[in-house]
Amino acid sequence: MLKKPQKISMFIKKWSELDWRLLLLVIVPLSFFFFLFSLSSTHIASVVPRQSFNFGKNSSDVKSSRPHMAGGDRWRIAVCLVGGARRFELTGPSIVEKVLKRYPNADLFLHCPMDKNAFKLSLLKTAPRLATVRIFEQKPVPETEEQVRVLTAANSPSGIQGLLQYFNLVEGCITMIESHQKQHNFTYDWIVRTRVDGYWSAPLHPKNFVAGRYTVPSGSVYGGINDRLGIGDYYTSKVALSRLSLVPEIDKAGYRQLNSESAFKAQLTALNISYIENRLPFCVVTDRTYEFPPAHLGVPVAAMSSLCPLSGAKCRPCTPVCKDGCVADVMSSLDNRWSWTDWSNGTLELCNAEGGWEKGWEKVFDRVAGKKLGQERKRVNGLKFEECVGDFRDMMRRAAKWEAPAAEEICGLGLGMTQK
């Protein structure tokens, strides 16, 4: 029987007799292979979820490849504004101050119809970064059999065509953003889609940026989910913003006769996108009239002076006619699956919106919004044709891409003047 030292001696002798050249041929390639594999695995994990658009993907499996920097100061963010500029002298400056300037690396994308209010978009000359501006002549969107089956004209002022026009505005965001990304060879960390007619009472907080989930406002769900704002990473936003393209997927899933909000919920559900509902500090400024007090399925109109986050509820500058106990009575009578919005803590105030805006609403707005935003409102009211043209030309020089009528045409339509 061999003793332990003899065993070790024989092992060393056999080891020394091996062909070292053969070992090198085996070990070196294997080491190189494992090194490459580790690199490729990291690359795939960080890139594939952002570059693919696989309808079968579950959003809960999608993780952001970039760290969540404190406060979002280093995030690359695309902010897309859609809709008409009817009251943009009230809403535009708040968007610049509370959203665009809050995030230093936020690029602005603008997708708006050409109309008599488009000249007010010149307020965006103060936006820190301009990516793409598209102001276009709206044309009818061809209606398909799938769209007619899936969508309903009920409660839409312009019927199904109104929904299609809105969907087209929203989907234009992802089209512009993807074109910009491709041209400059990068991918945005986040995409924020909001409305031109949204007034922001406080800054957009970084807590609303959640990887793998789409953030929407709470309340005002109208049988689905609130579609007046959306925040998500690239993949979830691509799905959420493809409002026209994904109607066939909703149709295949068997959904029928949906309004905008319920179609949006069906879209996210059909594509396995999870979402969260947060209270967000903005409201949609409206000129429409509504019954007061609102019935069970009525629409409450909040006073812009309300201290709570309004989450996209309809609002106007007014002297509140309903506070405290009155608000509790009104809001508790509303259907929480329809127009209801959060009214806790007694900070919501309501307007009587049965008629037009009250006399002196300008002073009410200036008091609520503050001196800086009040000055911007006054500046638009006194805007001269030459100033308007100069502002748009300045924006044109700064934008990476400009698709809009001539500045003279935009300003002339709204200010009643033509180029001399």
Side-chain angles (χ1 to χ4, degrees), residues 7-8 10 63 77 81 93 100 197 243 345 385 417:
K7 288 182 179 182
I8 295 172
M10 289 180 65
K63 303 296 180 184
I77 302 176
L81 300 181
L100 296 175
D197 57 2
R243 299 295 305 264
N345 300 327
F385 176 78
M417 299 180 69

Side-chain angles (χ1 to χ4, degrees), residues 94 98-99 102-103 191-195 198-210 213-220 225-232 264 275-284 302-304 306-315 340-344 347-348:
S94 75
K98 305 299 197 308
V99 180
R102 174 64 182 81
Y103 297 92
I191 296 174
V192 177
R193 197 280 304 171
T194 189
R195 292 170 51 141
Y199 169 79
W200 288 77
S201 58
L204 174 60
H205 198 282
K207 70 180 180 181
N208 295 297
F209 296 77
V210 183
R213 304 180 75 183
Y214 201 65
T215 300
V216 296
S218 60
S220 302
I225 56 177
N226 193 325
D227 65 350
R228 295 170 185 176
L229 168 77
I231 303 169
F264 188 44
Y275 63 90
I276 54 176
E277 298 175 294
N278 288 347
R279 297 187 73 184
L280 289 149
F282 82 104
C283 62
V284 173
M304 293 174 73
S306 299
L307 298 178
C308 59
L310 293 174
S311 293
K314 297 296 180 69
C315 68
W340 178 91
T341 192
D342 199 322
W343 51 277
S344 58
T347 53
L348 176 64

Side-chain angles (χ1 to χ4, degrees), residues 60-330:
S60 62
D61 298 330
V62 180
K63 303 296 180 184
S64 174
S65 66
R66 295 179 184 249
H68 285 206
M69 288 75 172
D73 288 346
R74 295 178 61 187
W75 291 339
R76 293 296 300 269
I77 302 176
V79 176
C80 189
L81 300 181
V82 302
R86 182 168 186 174
R87 291 289 185 177
F88 199 62
E89 70 272 27
L90 309 186
T91 62
S94 75
I95 294 169
V96 172
E97 294 297 322
K98 305 299 197 308
V99 180
L100 296 175
K101 289 185 177 180
R102 174 64 182 81
Y103 297 92
N105 292 315
D107 291 332
L108 174 62
F109 294 80
L110 185 66
H111 198 210
C112 300
M114 173 65 173
D115 59 26
K116 65 180 182 180
N117 292 298
F119 80 95
K120 298 176 184 178
L121 297 170
S122 62
L123 280 169
L124 292 172
K125 74 169 187 174
T126 60
R129 298 162 64 103
L130 287 172
T132 302
V133 173
R134 184 167 187 260
I135 303 172
F136 65 101
E137 296 281 354
Q138 276 191 316
K139 298 179 180 178
V141 177
E143 298 180 12
T144 67
E145 293 182 2
E146 294 163 320
Q147 292 165 351
V148 172
R149 284 196 296 267
V150 168
L151 302 174
T152 177
N155 299 313
S156 173
S158 302
I160 289 179
Q161 188 58 218
L163 294 181
L164 298 179
Q165 293 288 351
Y166 177 58
F167 291 179
N168 185 55
L169 279 170
V170 172
E171 187 152 344
C173 285
I174 196 64
T175 302
M176 294 188 298
I177 289 168
E178 288 188 324
S179 174
H180 188 79
Q181 289 182 155
K182 184 177 180 180
Q183 182 179 356
H184 298 278
N185 194 30
F186 77 99
T187 301
Y188 283 106
D189 299 313
W190 305 101
I191 296 174
V192 177
R193 197 280 304 171
T194 189
R195 292 170 51 141
V196 167
D197 57 2
Y199 169 79
W200 288 77
S201 58
L204 174 60
H205 198 282
K207 70 180 180 181
N208 295 297
F209 296 77
V210 183
R213 304 180 75 183
Y214 201 65
T215 300
V216 296
S218 60
S220 302
V221 298
Y222 294 93
I225 56 177
N226 193 325
D227 65 350
R228 295 170 185 176
L229 168 77
I231 303 169
D233 54 29
Y234 172 68
Y235 174 73
T236 56
S237 293
K238 184 177 174 73
V239 173
L241 298 177
S242 299
R243 299 295 305 264
L244 275 179
S245 299
L246 292 181
V247 168
E249 296 296 321
I250 302 175
D251 182 52
K252 289 177 185 176
Y255 292 98
R256 297 290 181 267
Q257 295 295 293
L258 307 178
N259 61 12
S260 182
E261 289 83 1
S262 56
F264 188 44
K265 183 175 182 178
Q267 178 177 324
L268 297 187
T269 302
L271 276 298
N272 298 315
I273 297 294
S274 61
Y275 63 90
I276 54 176
E277 298 175 294
N278 288 347
R279 297 187 73 184
L280 289 149
F282 82 104
C283 62
V284 173
V285 180
T286 181
D287 280 89
R288 292 182 64 184
T289 58
Y290 297 93
E291 178 187 10
F292 184 84
H296 185 57
L297 295 177
V299 178
V301 176
M304 293 174 73
S305 57
S306 299
L307 298 178
C308 59
L310 293 174
S311 293
K314 297 296 180 69
C315 68
R316 62 164 68 176
C318 75
T319 302
V321 298
C322 186
K323 301 179 181 180
D324 304 321
C326 171
V327 171
D329 291 341
V330 170

Side-chain angles (χ1 to χ4, degrees), residues 33-45:
F33 170 78
F34 284 117
F35 175 72
L36 288 179
F37 179 78
S38 66
L39 285 180
S40 63
S41 298
T42 302
H43 180 71
I44 290 170

Side-chain angles (χ1 to χ4, degrees), residues 49-63:
R50 294 182 174 278
Q51 300 297 344
S52 63
F53 192 25
N54 179 3
F55 289 142
K57 186 184 295 291
N58 190 322
S59 68
S60 62
D61 298 330
V62 180
K63 303 296 180 184

